[in-house]
Amino acid sequence: MDDQVAVNIWCSLTYVGDIDVINQQFACEFWMTATWKAEPKLQGKKNEEVDWDQEWDPKITFTNATAIDRMQKGQRLYTSEEGGKEMTYAQEMYKVRGTFKGQVDLADFPLDFQELPIILSSDWTDRHVKFQKDMLKGDVIRHLGFSAPQEWSLCSHVHTDVTSIVLECPGASDRHYPMYIITAHVQRKIGYYIWNVVLFMFVITGLSFASFAVSPDHLADQLTVTLTILLTGVAFKFAVSKNLPSVSYATLLDKYVLIHLLFVCFIALLNTMSSAITPTSRASYNFACMAGGLGVFVLIQVVMVIVAAFKRRVAKRELMKFANLYKKRDDEIERMRRERDWYAERSKQPKTPTITLTPALRQFTFSANGVTKSPREREGSAPDSPKSYV
């Protein structure tokens, strides 16, 4: 085929799981169809009469697949009526199970949501192949096949996007290859991190106020309590980091932990400064530091709660945007289906016969009592006598 072929893509995600944030990959199983208008030479042929190895196909590849565990592929021909004409379509059917790579954005971790993309490409350039959504039926994602419900919430929508990739060819012009991206979204459940990280860090930092219970005259004992808590927080920070990929930016949870570590350092600094206070004023200084530190600690918690609520709201808004696009597309598919059914039903109804009057028939008129009169009879007939109502 020399012209650009429109390939319609439909998919059904039957399994999503094994979401590995550290290696930034996930496992997925899905059904997919790729449909395009068949060549004229295939019109009227049956499936068993076609040698698919010799026929044109879109040469679909899965760009971000790190491993394909199983792939079944089949082809078929089918006809569909469009505008009163029967059109023949070729269709490839895929059943794929594999592991796919995805970019992970952890800036808002653990209040984040992640995209799980399946990227389709073609060995043909975009001058020969154009991917687009199959508007005959909507894409589907099955929640029963989700294997990580304790850590993630699987969204009910499937987002699709069409783009292209540029391949630089030395000594020749760059080539553009079509890409079709099928994306599922998952939102992280924060319960685990609330109970095992946030609460734990809150308790550790709160224990730093125990240093003010030690007599201000025993500076070494105060610093021992504070520095022990600081080292505990640092060790906990490294333990948490092992469960996250190495990224060049601080996540929201990193910021929470670092702020609390800096607060413990601030308490240690206040303990140290007590050595410069006269012995008679150390008790008042100790109480003032404890009250002021407690106020700062409460303020930190309030600010972090506000930030967390804002981040959560932004994430829900983004997911709602994708859900609305999915619903709008499904409504459009349903509207098109009803139109097709209406036209199909109308085409089955018998047509109303039309009567064509010849010039000879046009010379006759039909009276109210059903008697036909010729033009000569109409000229010789007397006008109707007036009716009397007396």
Side-chain angles (χ1 to χ4, degrees), residues 113-311:
F113 69 91
Q114 299 298 332
E115 297 182 348
L116 307 179
I118 300 172
I119 304 177
L120 278 61
S121 184
S122 173
D123 290 340
W124 298 99
T125 64
D126 58 1
R127 296 174 57 185
H128 299 89
V129 169
K130 177 181 69 173
F131 288 130
Q132 60 188 23
K133 172 73 183 74
D134 190 343
M135 297 302 290
L136 293 179
K137 50 186 176 180
D139 298 326
V140 181
I141 185 168
R142 303 185 184 279
H143 288 261
L144 294 178
F146 186 52
S147 67
Q150 299 299 325
E151 185 178 359
W152 302 90
S153 295
L154 180 64
C155 298
S156 300
H157 60 264
V158 179
H159 181 67
T160 58
D161 193 15
V162 180
T163 182
S164 63
I165 184 174
V166 180
L167 182 62
E168 297 181 358
C169 301
S173 59
D174 296 341
R175 295 182 179 180
H176 295 253
Y177 291 87
M179 294 180 63
Y180 188 84
I181 305 175
I182 304 168
T183 306
H185 290 91
V186 290
Q187 188 172 24
R188 194 186 304 272
K189 294 183 178 180
I190 63 174
Y192 173 84
Y193 300 95
I194 292 294
W195 295 111
N196 294 279
V197 179
V198 174
L199 181 61
F200 190 78
M201 203 66 205
F202 176 85
V203 172
I204 290 177
T205 307
L207 289 175
S208 63
F209 289 100
S211 63
F212 295 110
V214 180
S215 174
D217 296 329
H218 300 83
L219 177 60
D221 294 336
Q222 281 189 331
L223 289 176
T224 299
V225 173
T226 306
L227 294 179
T228 300
I229 292 174
L230 179 61
L231 292 176
T232 303
V234 171
F236 181 71
K237 172 66 173 65
F238 281 106
V240 173
S241 300
K242 291 181 179 179
N243 296 323
L244 296 176
S246 300
V247 293
S248 59
Y249 52 86
T251 67
L252 187 62
L253 189 64
D254 289 335
K255 295 175 183 178
Y256 181 83
V257 174
L258 289 174
I259 288 174
H260 283 72
L261 292 179
L262 291 175
F263 180 80
V264 176
C265 293
F266 173 68
I267 296 297
L269 180 62
L270 293 178
N271 295 150
T272 304
M273 291 176 61
S274 65
S275 61
I277 306 299
T278 59
T280 56
S281 303
R282 285 178 182 175
S284 300
Y285 171 81
N286 198 55
F287 179 79
C289 289
M290 183 180 66
L294 184 60
V296 173
F297 183 68
V298 172
L299 180 62
I300 290 174
Q301 308 310 314
V302 172
V303 171
M304 294 305 297
V305 168
I306 294 175
V307 171
F310 175 76
K311 293 289 186 180

Side-chain angles (χ1 to χ4, degrees), residues 315-379:
K316 288 185 177 181
R317 187 183 305 166
E318 288 293 320
L319 292 175
M320 186 60 65
K321 181 179 68 174
F322 290 117
N324 291 336
L325 290 175
Y326 178 77
K327 185 178 184 303
K328 182 179 179 180
R329 187 182 61 196
D330 272 8
D331 292 342
E332 180 68 14
I333 292 174
E334 180 63 21
R335 184 189 64 80
M336 295 173 65
R337 185 192 65 80
R338 289 197 300 266
E339 288 183 357
R340 289 194 303 269
D341 293 344
W342 184 82
Y343 281 113
E345 187 67 25
R346 186 179 181 184
S347 63
K348 295 178 182 178
Q349 296 177 357
K351 296 182 179 180
T352 304
T354 57
I355 301 175
T356 304
L357 297 178
T358 62
L361 288 176
R362 291 195 186 98
Q363 298 177 2
F364 292 86
T365 60
F366 297 85
S367 61
N369 57 6
V371 179
T372 59
K373 296 181 179 181
S374 66
R376 184 177 299 176
E377 292 175 340
R378 292 200 306 271
E379 293 175 359

Side-chain angles (χ1 to χ4, degrees), residues 97-116:
R97 185 183 181 95
T99 303
F100 299 86
K101 198 79 172 177
Q103 295 293 330
V104 178
D105 184 7
L106 297 174
D108 295 333
F109 172 83
L111 302 175
D112 58 326
F113 69 91
Q114 299 298 332
E115 297 182 348
L116 307 179

